[in-house]
Structure formats: structure tokens, C-alpha cells
Amino acid sequence: MTRGRRYALTFPGSPGAHAPQDVVVVEATGASGPGGHPVYADASGIVVAEISDLGEVRMLASGGHQSPQTPVHAEPLP
């Protein structure tokens, strides 16, 4: 997978609901995460993820009392 400056992260919908999946666009921050891979964040700074060059996603807490959900897909954007 080619490393991009932006990714669309797709999260599962609410369990038991017929709601669509949530998609959040994140951009490179210039920082590296605990695994040494680039860190990406959404415009609000709430959704923060480390994404490897293989497309593996590790969600990072951006504040206290968070338990971030892992996305089901990370798609590089142009």
C-alpha cells in the first residue's frame, strides 16, 4: 500500500442499527507513533491514528477516558 498524506478511515455502524458506516478523513501530522509509523488526525484532532506502510491502523487516544474504536478499513486518498 502506498503511504499517502490523507486517509479515509471507515468505522462500523452502531451494532444492531441499520445506520451507515462512519467515514473520517485524517491527514498526516508529521509526528511518529509508538510503532514508528506516521500519525494522522482529523480536523478536530479527536480521531488520531498511526498508519503503517502496509495500511495497518493503530488508533491513539487524543484525550483522557477515550477507548477508540478500530476502523474496518483505511483507504489512501489523493
Side-chain angles (χ1 to χ4, degrees), residues 11-76:
F11 294 88
S14 299
H18 294 286
Q21 295 179 322
D22 293 321
V23 178
V24 178
V25 175
V26 292
E27 295 191 24
T29 64
S32 294
H37 303 290
V39 172
Y40 296 79
D42 73 334
S44 71
I46 295 172
V47 177
V48 182
E50 177 183 13
I51 304 176
S52 77
D53 55 349
L54 299 176
E56 300 163 324
V57 180
R58 178 190 310 203
M59 296 303 296
L60 305 173
S62 61
H65 306 289
Q66 277 188 329
S67 53
Q69 190 174 27
T70 302
V72 294
H73 186 68
E75 180 72 30

